[in-house]
Amino acid sequence: MLDSSLQGGFSNPPVQSAQAFRAALSAMARPGRIETLGGATAPAPTSAAAATLLLTLCDQETPLFLGGAYDTLAMRDWISFHIGAPIVEAGFAQYALGTWADLSQATLPTGISDYPDRSATLIVEMDTLAATGARLTGPGIEVEAHLNLPEIKAFQANRALFPLGLDFYFTAGPHLAGLPRSSIVAEL
Amino acid sequence: MYVAVKGGERAIDNAHDWLAEERRGDPEVAELSLAQIREQMALAIHRVMAEGSLYDPDLAALAIKQSRGDLIEAIFLIRAYRTTLPRIGYSDPVETGSMICDRRISATFKDAPGGQVLGPTFDYTHRLLDFKLMADGEAPVADSAEPQTENIPRITDFLNRDGLIQTETPSDATPPDMTREPMEYPANRALRLQALTRGDEGFVLGMAYSTQRGYGRNHPFVGELRIGKVQVEMEIPELGFAIKIGEVTLTECETVNQFTGSKTEPPQFTRGYGLVFGQSERKAISMALVDRALRWKELGEDNMGAPAQDEEFVLSHSDNIQATGFLEHIKLPHYVDFQSELELIRKLRAEAMAATQKEAAE
Amino acid sequence: MSDYNFAYLDEQTKRMIRRAILKGVAIPGYQVPFASREMPMPYGWGTGGVQVTAACLTPDDTLKVIDQGADDTTNAVSIRKFFENTAQVDVTECTQEASVIQTRHRIPEEPLTEDQILVYQVPIPEPLRFLEPRETETRKMHALEEYGLMHVKLYEDIARHGHIATSYAYPVKVEDRYVMDPSPIPKFDNPRLESAAIQLFGAGREQRIYAVPPYTKVVSLDFEDHPFEQMKAEQDCDLCGAGHTYLDEVIVNDQGGRMFVCSDTNYCATRCDAGHRGRLSPEEDAA
């Protein structure tokens, strides 16, 4: 194990994870709203926001899929030390981390009709987050919101599965936005 | 003039102080020590450990003392404490075959290897109040024998050898943990047994009794009942082998039940199983009967519609901490809901009255 | 209580609850199973709400706890004290000052804002439970969106009484998909389930968490010829004069005398402080 794997956790887990959760809750409850969070540092190329989300939501009970450039020895060591989540194939994942190019190719669980909650939450790493681009409506949004989603069609197809489907976090540096399966996505 | 009810906080503090005083009782009377409770109220300790799902006689004694002898309250204290404990690891399955038995009886055979060992049982005591205990609780020293050194074979193994009883297939699958995962129906047998072993003794007893009286009857015999100590071992990954971390007293009951058979399988006896912390054979036997009743589907029996055959009914209502909490919550204020019912019933009555008057006038 | 973790629950338990909350938010009105823990208060007394609140609180929060709309009912006092001790958060009785509000049986009169979280204590989360006691069956009904039984029940009420005879815990349909139990709030409160705040529902004994995100469509079940109607006592509040709030009826003497007062005690007190007067307001104050 690399020494650097031991670094990058929370200094005050109960408080930092509570604050990070509130950002995550706000993001998922208000799709498109950009929140800021931090406190954790994972090996490159993982953003601070993604590292903090992983540390806040994942543990031994949450199988995790690492996409493309995120599936490195350093990252596996970091996860093993700080989180303990089993690294799994996409089909068994409860959480997934990667770029849109990585994750849009993966087949992740969308839940079953008796238990639509048994579906994956994706953490999609982005270069930037901005309140421009795709138009979002639905729960959590008073009139409409905008977010620079990496594409439109995949999210429309995901909405068509409702109440099944995937839920998304988009992360860039210390920034975070959410897109639950309930959001209706349209071209601007 | 009406003043809104205030002072909830002071009322609560005062109630707690009063409760503490009542718990102690007359200060002229010597206070109970935890050791006294642990040693002399051992079966209460065992029940609290079994239904509290935590094997710690000293904490159980504390809980009984704190709860003024209300065992469900004591079980609640233990459960609430238990949830705050970190999971350091999981033990290996205990091997009850190598139990050092204080008691071991079989109702299905007159004698069997290992013998019939009555042990410290209330059976065959005449239930006469022993007024001597009022003045003097000293007990005579009982005769002792050499402790058992060999494993005592299981009665059901004798039956199994000849294929007379259904074989339980061993499994290395990790059983679900009902304290860490939400209950999900249908439940597998491991989950059902977990729920039953921590279920309320009275509830499980009542369910078992109902099967004996015909609500899902399955003709049980106590194949074997054993009570004693077993070792608890845990794998230490760094060591690469299991080490003993302690021992617990358990009561195990295996029932031999009415045979089943089908066109493809010749008739065989079937099994029910009970395993409980401590010395608690009423609970272990009850558990075995209910376990057997709940197995109707896998054994190809008819659903008689008996309560004890109904997995959701039994498992959803067996936990006395859930039951007592929800039952007693109706003591909490409900005046907002009640007000909405009042308004509704006034409205419905006014309308009904108006309709009657209108009819009378016409 | 200092030996316990911040907000009492251990971090692993909080993560488990937080994951359930987020799935609940993503699937509005759907009951997410969660491995509810035994809490140091009895099941049925708010353990679900307490676990949800514990998973949400940060040290920067200001917490309000109400039961029946009142801050000083004994169980509200007990829960507020629990979080004061275990999470060292600020507490308040003022609805606007609170960032997290835990409630039993009421939605505050004051409209909630985007910065607030309302946590409901839920006794029986399954709206179909009294029509079908089996979890295995109700789960199928939700999966298939098979809510006919509920409509039949409501219609039978109308046939017998001329009205839907459900006055609290009145079922709603969330975002045109899941039928949801709003917890035993009076149906007077149902229209306020469409809110700017995040609403989270916790049922500890029944091991379920569900959610209504801000601005989510929440429709009380009804029929075209029998539309949903709000209901309250016809009187005005005898203390603050409000005619638009949900009222408690208080018996004041043994001749059957009674008065009506706002169930939301903070709302009522705020109105009284602002100079509003009701039928039984003290004379000297009114002058």
Side-chain angles (χ1 to χ4, degrees):
Chain A
M1 185 177 279
L2 304 169
D3 283 351
S4 60
S5 305
L6 309 181
Q7 311 294 318
F10 288 143
S11 55
N12 183 356
V15 170
Q16 285 173 296
S17 59
Q19 287 162 340
F21 169 69
R22 286 291 280 280
L25 173 62
S26 182
M28 194 57 85
R30 298 182 181 88
R33 179 186 287 201
I34 296 169
E35 301 282 342
T36 304
L37 79 173
T41 317
T46 312
S47 68
T52 304
L53 263 189
L54 288 176
L55 214 49
T56 302
L57 298 177
C58 297
D59 54 31
Q60 307 89 294
E61 295 175 0
T62 55
L64 174 65
F65 170 72
L66 295 175
Y70 292 83
D71 190 3
T72 63
L73 185 62
M75 192 59 185
R76 281 179 176 242
D77 278 350
W78 189 84
I79 288 164
S80 160
F81 181 76
H82 292 282
I83 296 171
I87 306 296
V88 297
E89 297 288 310
F92 300 98
Q94 205 173 328
Y95 285 81
L97 170 68
T99 62
W100 182 243
D102 302 328
L103 298 182
S104 58
Q105 300 307 313
T107 306
L108 291 147
T110 54
I112 54 176
S113 62
D114 280 4
Y115 295 95
D117 56 305
R118 295 182 184 170
S119 58
T121 300
L122 283 63
I123 301 170
V124 183
E125 292 267 59
M126 308 267 284
D127 294 333
T128 56
L129 287 178
T132 56
R135 183 163 66 90
L136 313 180
T137 55
I141 302 165
E142 186 171 18
V143 182
E144 60 177 48
H146 296 272
L147 188 65
N148 59 330
L149 294 179
E151 65 165 292
I152 304 282
K153 276 217 169 62
F155 300 102
Q156 291 174 333
N158 187 55
R159 178 63 177 80
L161 299 174
F162 190 84
L164 307 189
L166 304 171
D167 304 307
F168 301 88
Y169 281 114
F170 299 96
T171 46
H175 300 298
L176 170 75
L179 187 80
R181 66 191 76 181
S182 60
S183 290
I184 297 156
V185 180
E187 304 268 6
L188 186 56
Chain B
M1 184 48 228
Y2 169 79
V3 182
V5 188
K6 288 268 178 198
E9 193 154 350
R10 191 157 44 90
I12 291 174
D13 288 343
N14 289 342
H16 290 176
D17 290 347
W18 194 354
L19 174 67
E21 199 178 296
E22 288 289 310
R23 181 196 61 70
R24 176 61 182 87
D26 184 350
E28 299 292 309
V29 176
E31 191 187 345
L32 273 173
S33 72
L34 294 194
Q36 286 169 332
I37 299 171
R38 188 190 62 225
E39 296 302 317
Q40 297 173 46
M41 294 284 144
L43 299 187
I45 297 280
H46 290 174
R47 180 171 176 197
V48 169
M49 295 195 303
E51 294 172 34
S53 299
L54 183 73
Y55 197 95
D56 189 322
D58 291 307
L59 286 180
L62 172 60
I64 290 169
K65 180 171 178 173
Q66 187 179 332
S67 64
R68 308 178 64 196
D70 179 336
L71 293 191
I72 290 184
E73 187 68 29
I75 291 161
F76 185 10
L77 288 168
I78 291 296
R79 290 266 194 98
Y81 174 74
R82 178 191 194 277
T83 49
T84 65
L85 300 176
R87 292 296 165 96
I88 295 165
Y90 293 85
S91 77
D92 288 342
V94 292
E95 182 47 76
T96 53
S98 50
M99 179 186 279
I100 307 298
C101 295
D102 289 338
R103 172 164 164 80
R104 187 268 194 157
I105 54 167
S106 170
T108 49
F109 294 97
K110 183 172 185 188
D111 201 2
Q116 303 266 18
V117 181
L118 275 189
T121 174
F122 290 122
D123 296 354
Y124 319 112
T125 62
H126 294 148
R127 270 58 168 207
L128 302 170
L129 276 175
D130 181 357
F131 292 101
K132 280 211 309 289
L133 289 180
M134 288 173 79
D136 175 14
E138 290 309 313
V141 178
D143 288 343
S144 55
E146 284 301 305
Q148 153 215 341
T149 49
E150 310 250 301
N151 285 358
I152 297 179
R154 293 170 189 284
I155 301 291
T156 49
D157 286 349
F158 297 122
L159 293 169
N160 201 22
R161 204 168 298 157
D162 303 328
L164 295 175
I165 193 164
Q166 148 236 0
T167 304
E168 300 288 7
T169 329
S171 164
D172 281 333
T174 306
D177 181 346
M178 64 177 295
T179 67
R180 309 300 279 186
E181 295 150 37
M183 200 67 183
E184 189 182 327
Y185 299 107
N188 65 19
R189 190 170 177 220
L191 192 56
R192 295 197 303 250
L193 290 171
Q194 264 174 57
L196 290 174
T197 195
R198 72 189 329 231
D200 181 73
E201 182 176 308
F203 179 88
V204 181
L205 169 65
M207 280 289 129
Y209 179 47
S210 74
T211 67
Q212 290 185 291
R213 289 197 64 262
Y215 290 83
R217 188 157 184 226
N218 53 45
H219 304 274
F221 298 98
V222 172
E224 181 171 347
L225 178 78
R226 54 171 72 187
I227 302 175
K229 286 197 166 66
V230 297
Q231 296 197 359
V232 180
E233 296 185 340
M234 197 172 147
E235 297 283 347
I236 307 294
E238 287 79 4
L239 296 179
F241 54 86
I243 58 162
K244 178 184 168 184
I245 55 170
E247 52 180 30
V248 295
T249 296
L250 297 176
T251 303
E252 182 185 57
C253 175
E254 288 193 281
T255 56
V256 177
N257 297 67
Q258 190 174 49
F259 52 81
T260 60
S262 64
K263 285 194 178 114
T264 52
E265 298 282 330
Q268 268 190 325
F269 288 113
T270 57
R271 306 175 192 237
Y273 186 72
L275 184 71
V276 188
F277 273 160
Q279 176 175 352
S280 185
E281 56 194 75
R282 182 187 303 123
K283 174 75 174 286
I285 299 169
S286 300
M287 179 176 164
L289 263 58
V290 178
D291 168 51
R292 177 60 186 79
L294 291 172
R295 300 182 75 185
W296 63 272
K297 205 180 272 179
E298 77 180 270
L299 297 172
E301 294 173 331
D302 290 335
N303 180 1
M304 317 290 287
Q309 286 181 308
D310 187 330
E311 169 184 291
E312 260 203 70
F313 180 83
V314 173
L315 301 192
S316 305
H317 303 116
S318 60
D319 190 285
N320 54 23
I321 302 308
Q322 291 177 356
T324 201
F326 196 56
L327 181 104
E328 296 195 35
H329 107 281
I330 65 172
K331 292 183 286 193
L332 289 177
H334 281 78
Y335 57 78
V336 161
D337 312 348
F338 186 71
Q339 186 66 35
S340 59
E341 291 284 86
L342 265 181
E343 300 298 340
L344 180 65
I345 202 158
R346 279 180 182 140
K347 182 173 179 174
L348 295 179
R349 284 177 64 87
E351 286 178 5
M353 241 69 121
T356 319
Q357 279 165 3
K358 194 170 160 222
E359 257 171 47
E362 275 164 6
Chain C
M1 299 289 274
S2 56
D3 292 345
Y4 290 100
N5 194 25
F6 170 75
Y8 183 76
L9 297 172
D10 61 278
E11 289 305 298
Q12 193 181 343
T13 297
K14 280 193 262 185
R15 276 193 297 271
M16 177 271 295
I17 296 170
R18 287 167 179 160
R19 292 193 292 261
I21 292 172
L22 293 175
K23 283 297 170 193
V25 166
I27 318 166
Y30 166 74
Q31 304 163 51
V32 184
F34 83 112
S36 173
R37 302 292 196 245
E38 266 110 356
M39 298 299 287
M41 59 273 288
Y43 283 121
W45 297 53
T47 55
V50 165
Q51 289 179 81
V52 169
T53 298
C56 285
L57 283 180
T58 76
D60 311 324
D61 274 311
T62 303
L63 177 70
K64 172 182 166 84
V65 183
I66 51 173
D67 186 341
Q68 315 295 300
D71 297 89
D72 57 0
T73 34
T74 40
N75 204 43
V77 169
S78 164
I79 291 171
R80 187 165 59 236
K81 213 169 174 180
F82 176 73
F83 283 116
E84 265 186 292
N85 289 337
T86 58
Q88 296 86 42
V89 288
D90 290 339
V91 296
T92 183
E93 296 193 1
C94 174
T95 301
Q96 290 102 316
E97 281 175 9
S99 53
V100 177
I101 302 173
Q102 180 167 330
T103 182
R104 176 168 172 263
H105 295 191
R106 273 314 307 277
I107 299 176
E109 301 285 354
E110 187 71 35
L112 300 180
T113 66
E114 292 210 348
D115 301 322
Q116 295 180 306
I117 298 175
L118 182 60
V119 178
Y120 295 76
Q121 301 172 204
V122 182
I124 304 273
E126 178 50 71
L128 306 169
R129 183 62 68 232
F130 300 109
L131 308 172
E132 168 52 63
R134 272 164 219 287
E135 156 72 13
T136 38
E137 292 299 317
T138 54
R139 183 159 293 280
K140 255 183 253 159
M141 291 159 77
H142 284 295
L144 301 172
E145 210 175 344
E146 179 49 69
Y147 295 126
L149 203 57
M150 179 65 94
H151 284 99
V152 169
K153 191 261 166 199
L154 297 177
Y155 210 84
E156 279 173 358
D157 278 4
I158 293 171
R160 182 178 304 170
H161 303 295
H163 294 276
I164 292 174
T166 298
S167 63
Y168 62 92
Y170 190 102
V172 295
K173 196 162 199 182
V174 181
E175 205 60 26
D176 297 319
R177 180 57 182 82
Y178 285 102
V179 167
M180 183 188 96
D181 182 313
S183 89
I185 55 172
K187 71 177 184 176
F188 176 84
D189 284 346
N190 272 28
R192 266 172 299 132
L193 288 162
E194 288 189 345
S195 170
I198 297 174
Q199 299 174 82
L200 305 175
F201 299 77
R205 191 178 40 79
E206 298 280 342
Q207 307 190 311
R208 297 290 183 273
I209 284 171
Y210 52 104
V212 175
Y215 311 114
T216 298
K217 185 175 168 192
V218 182
V219 178
S220 302
L221 299 186
D222 63 357
F223 299 93
E224 253 173 40
D225 50 343
H226 282 89
F228 172 82
E229 47 184 7
Q230 259 183 316
M231 194 179 60
K232 66 177 278 291
E234 283 167 9
Q235 289 77 359
D236 294 339
C237 174
D238 284 328
L239 295 181
C240 77
H244 60 283
T245 59
Y246 190 77
L247 300 175
D248 297 333
E249 183 173 334
V250 183
I251 299 170
V252 289
N253 57 40
D254 49 14
Q255 281 81 54
R258 66 191 81 181
M259 65 184 291
F260 291 85
V261 292
C262 292
S263 112
D264 184 335
T265 50
N266 174 253
Y267 189 78
C268 193
T270 309
R271 278 178 55 86
C272 290
D273 288 348
H276 294 282
R277 287 295 173 266
R279 185 175 65 98
L280 297 176
S281 295
E283 290 291 332
E284 61 273 26
D285 287 353

